[in-house]
């Protein structure tokens, strides 16, 4: 028992108890793979550039843990099976499909295209 109290006294010298907690670790922000897909798209469709850049920045800074958190920020987003989300870009002129892994905080861009191109694909399988 004396040994434990001695160790506690030594620890308090280096880490004083002030009523707050120190958390050692890393907060994982979302990582979007790959921005090049978005860049190539806005080169062909310049009117989408600002909206895609804004979405990219917001997604990178987000801490989404489930689809409800995404829907809170993007009410018009559609949640599909297998952790896929469809975002309306530029007033629904374009569609962006991502697949997200909430545990590893990773986003993969699965599709970006016009609304007409989106209608020709199976969004839940892309």
């Amino acid at each position: 028992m004396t040994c434990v109290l001695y160790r506690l006294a030594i620890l308090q010298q280096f880490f004083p108890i002030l009523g707050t907690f120190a958390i050692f670790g890393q907060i994982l922000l979302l990582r979007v793979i790959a921005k090049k897909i978005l860049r190539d798209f806005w080169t062909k469709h310049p009117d989408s550039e600002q909206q895609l850049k804004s979405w990219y920045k917001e997604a990178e800074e987000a801490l989404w843990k489930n689809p409800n958190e995404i829907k809170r920020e993007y009410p018009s987003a559609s949640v599909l099976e297998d952790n896929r989300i469809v975002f309306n870009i530029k007033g629904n002129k374009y569609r962006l499909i991502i697949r997200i892994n909430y545990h590893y905080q990773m986003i993969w861009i699965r599709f970006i295209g016009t609304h007409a191109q989106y209608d020709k694909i199976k969004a839940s399988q892309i």
Side-chain angles (χ1 to χ4, degrees):
M1 183 72 168
T2 310
C3 182
V4 172
L5 291 176
Y6 177 72
R7 288 183 183 170
L8 184 59
I10 289 176
L11 283 174
Q12 285 180 346
Q13 288 177 349
F14 296 105
F15 302 99
I17 298 172
L18 301 174
T20 58
F21 296 96
I23 298 174
F24 298 98
Q26 179 180 4
I27 296 175
L28 294 175
L29 297 176
L30 279 167
R31 182 169 177 213
V32 181
I33 302 172
K35 187 175 183 179
K36 183 182 183 325
I37 296 168
L38 298 178
R39 195 176 310 120
D40 290 347
F41 186 80
W42 76 57
T43 301
K44 293 177 188 173
H45 304 274
D47 62 331
S48 68
E49 182 175 359
Q50 282 307 102
Q51 287 79 10
L52 289 172
K53 283 181 176 179
S54 294
W55 178 87
Y56 183 85
K57 184 174 190 262
E58 291 169 12
E60 273 197 318
E61 295 172 355
L63 295 171
W64 296 326
K65 300 292 183 198
N66 57 55
N68 294 332
E69 293 182 5
I70 295 174
K71 287 291 283 182
R72 197 173 307 126
E73 287 185 45
Y74 295 94
S76 64
S78 301
V79 178
L80 306 177
E81 60 190 43
D82 201 22
N83 292 327
R84 284 177 170 74
I85 311 290
V86 179
F87 294 93
N88 299 322
I89 305 294
K90 185 119 174 102
N92 206 16
K93 185 175 180 181
Y94 305 110
R95 292 283 181 100
L96 171 66
I97 302 174
I98 64 158
R99 184 166 184 224
I100 185 167
N101 183 313
Y102 297 101
H103 179 73
Y104 291 108
Q105 292 290 284
M106 303 273 297
I107 290 177
W108 291 271
I109 297 171
R110 306 299 296 156
F111 172 85
I112 178 74
T114 65
H115 201 322
Q117 291 170 327
Y118 173 82
D119 288 339
K120 295 178 184 176
I121 64 166
K122 289 192 175 198
S124 60
Q125 296 177 355
I126 195 160

